[in-house]
Amino acid sequence: MNEHAAPRRISVFDTTLRDGEQAPGNAMNPEQKLELAQLIAGLGVDTVEAGFPASSPSDFEATRLIARHLSGTKFATFSRTTRRDVETAIEAGGTDNHQVQMVATGSRIHLTHKRGITRHAAVQEVVDTVKFAASSGITDIAVGIEDASRGEDDLLRALTEAAVDAGATCVILADTTGCHTPEEFGALIAKIRRWAPPPIIVSTHCHNDFGLATANTLAGLAAGADEIQVALGGIGERAGNTSLEEVAAVLAYKAELLGMTTGVELEAMYAVYNRLREIIRLEEPRNKPIFGKYVFGTAAGIHQQGMLSDPSTYEYVEPARFGRERSLLIGRHSGRTVLRHLVEQLGIEVGEAELDTLYRVHIAEREQGDCEDLSVVRERLAHELGAREAVAGAR
């Protein structure tokens, strides 16, 4: 990137309200969707997807509530490529501040085994539905090409060019099965960018089946995408979608290198994620980047020795920047350094022989397999050493 050029701001489209239904647990009701839409909008994303109004009365009502109460952030709806679905989306959400997103069939596999239609029919339904949406007063029309990562170039090009000619303002490329590598997905975005030049928006929608959703999204941005579709916590079908927090973190730390940035509020994301988990009864992950229970904790003695001196020795991503706290955990791999640190905090002097005994009892020969937070072990040491001091003082 040109060192004097300002980073380009990436548009962030959050699909949590749709993809969140796929997490095992509880589906959101309309009032909960409204609450989360407002919380997610408060994070600074550009668009919040309200759901699929034609799929159920619940999603219809959620869209109606979000359209009425969400302000300052665009909302989107998901539809099949039919006039009826678009009519339902408009009935629920109106036309103001509303992106209608319709799904096109982008691969031979889906044409044959899911839809049972010809390539020509797939293109024609896109043209008809996009024109209908435009004639109904929708000015922001997105065509999402499903299974684009397995689509052949002639079909992808026909769908893209037909959608744009009919009035679409955005083309979304979905790696629906999560089968692409970053190189493949970047090449796909570059092709679509040539077929749909600015001001048409090119957007990414990546799945995480290979654990590559974030990498693929970044590759798509590097290849010319303008927008990314993400989900808070990465929740979604199967292995999930690109995680909002992961991409936001990379762009926050690597903005100069990548030449890109977002306006997402980093510190506020974790609280919103925990509210989402509460609503859909999603278990707390242990090691998920940014949001995992232990991602800012360590039980390794050599790490703890460095972090007690300076956290940056083993900590590149700063927990406070994401509303988190670092923790040092006591486990069998902890060392004498952290034990000595606790004893010094308590203001109690111990000799090396006694420190060795404390190390053996509290660390090396721990009976329980789980790690404990530093505060728990500090309290235990305070009780044990405090009792020793009391006995010594009474003599």
Side-chain angles (χ1 to χ4, degrees):
M1 113 180 229
N2 185 329
E3 63 179 352
H4 301 295
R8 63 185 176 107
R9 189 180 185 281
I10 301 304
S11 181
V12 178
F13 181 118
D14 193 282
T15 65
T16 299
L17 301 185
R18 169 161 60 99
D19 290 329
E21 304 290 13
Q22 307 306 326
N26 188 36
M28 290 178 270
N29 63 42
E31 290 73 22
Q32 290 169 332
K33 281 200 171 191
L34 173 61
E35 177 191 353
L36 279 172
Q38 292 173 321
L39 289 172
I40 291 168
L43 296 178
V45 304
D46 302 278
T47 307
V48 177
E49 187 170 330
F52 186 176
S55 68
S56 68
S58 178
D59 261 23
F60 183 94
E61 176 63 13
T63 300
R64 190 185 68 81
L65 289 174
I66 290 168
R68 177 181 297 179
H69 296 289
L70 195 67
S71 60
T73 301
K74 185 183 298 181
F75 74 94
T77 53
F78 183 84
S79 299
R80 291 165 295 192
T81 313
T82 69
R83 291 188 176 202
R84 185 173 181 179
D85 275 14
V86 171
E87 277 183 321
T88 303
I90 293 173
E91 183 183 351
T95 57
D96 293 340
N97 200 40
H98 180 182
Q99 181 189 86
V100 168
Q101 179 184 177
M102 59 192 74
V103 59
T105 307
S107 71
R108 182 184 299 177
I109 294 173
H110 279 219
L111 286 174
T112 303
H113 299 290
K114 189 180 85 167
R115 298 294 311 284
I117 61 175
T118 65
R119 180 179 302 181
H120 176 75
V123 174
Q124 286 306 117
E125 68 180 11
V126 167
V127 171
D128 179 71
T129 312
V130 169
K131 287 183 175 180
F132 175 75
S135 69
S136 301
I138 296 294
T139 58
D140 191 348
I141 303 169
V143 173
I145 304 180
E146 187 177 26
D147 206 25
S149 49
R150 295 191 293 178
E152 298 171 347
D153 280 4
D154 55 352
L155 174 58
L156 296 177
R157 184 165 189 170
L159 289 169
T160 299
E161 293 181 342
V164 171
D165 289 345
T169 56
C170 175
V171 178
I172 305 159
L173 287 307
D175 182 19
T176 303
T177 61
C179 65
H180 261 181
T181 65
E183 292 78 11
E184 290 173 308
F185 194 71
L188 171 63
I189 293 296
K191 283 188 291 192
I192 301 298
R193 178 81 283 176
R194 292 195 298 271
W195 300 333
I200 303 301
I201 299 297
V202 174
S203 183
T204 70
H205 184 94
C206 297
H207 284 258
N208 203 36
D209 297 71
F210 281 149
L212 292 173
T214 295
N216 287 345
T217 296
L218 293 170
L221 288 173
D226 310 286
E227 176 187 88
I228 55 173
Q229 292 201 352
V230 296
L232 190 63
I235 58 174
E237 294 284 357
R238 304 181 314 278
N241 295 89
T242 306
S243 295
L244 165 61
E245 67 281 2
E246 292 179 16
V247 179
V250 173
L251 294 181
Y253 280 88
K254 302 292 185 178
E256 185 175 353
L257 174 68
L258 300 175
M260 308 172 200
T261 188
T262 77
V264 172
E265 294 288 340
L266 303 181
E267 190 174 349
M269 289 189 296
Y270 186 59
V272 179
Y273 171 66
N274 280 330
R275 177 57 182 145
L276 169 65
R277 285 201 310 107
E278 180 182 14
I279 289 173
I280 64 174
R281 299 205 301 268
L282 183 67
E283 293 180 4
E284 183 176 19
R286 293 168 66 91
N287 64 340
K288 179 173 173 33
I290 309 301
F291 285 165
K293 182 176 182 179
Y294 295 123
V295 296
F296 294 110
T298 181
I302 57 173
H303 289 204
Q304 292 174 343
Q305 184 175 359
M307 292 183 70
L308 286 170
S309 174
D310 184 339
S312 68
T313 52
Y314 286 96
E315 187 178 86
Y316 181 73
V317 178
E318 303 148 295
R321 199 169 181 185
F322 297 90
R324 306 295 308 277
E325 294 181 0
R326 77 175 55 90
S327 60
L328 297 182
L329 304 169
I330 299 297
R332 290 174 182 166
H333 294 111
S334 300
R336 288 173 174 77
T337 298
V338 71
L339 198 59
R340 187 177 288 109
H341 169 75
L342 289 177
V343 171
E344 289 174 354
Q345 281 191 329
L346 294 172
I348 299 173
E349 293 186 8
V350 298
E352 287 301 314
E354 187 174 8
L355 186 69
D356 286 342
T357 300
L358 292 173
Y359 171 75
R360 177 176 54 79
V361 171
H362 292 278
I363 294 180
E365 298 178 5
R366 292 169 56 85
E367 293 183 2
Q368 63 269 41
D370 289 345
C371 295
E372 292 180 303
D373 188 79
L374 212 62
S375 61
V376 175
V377 180
R378 182 189 299 113
E379 184 177 347
R380 189 182 303 127
L381 285 172
H383 178 75
E384 180 180 327
L385 295 177
R388 185 207 67 179
E389 295 282 289
V391 170
R395 288 176 180 170

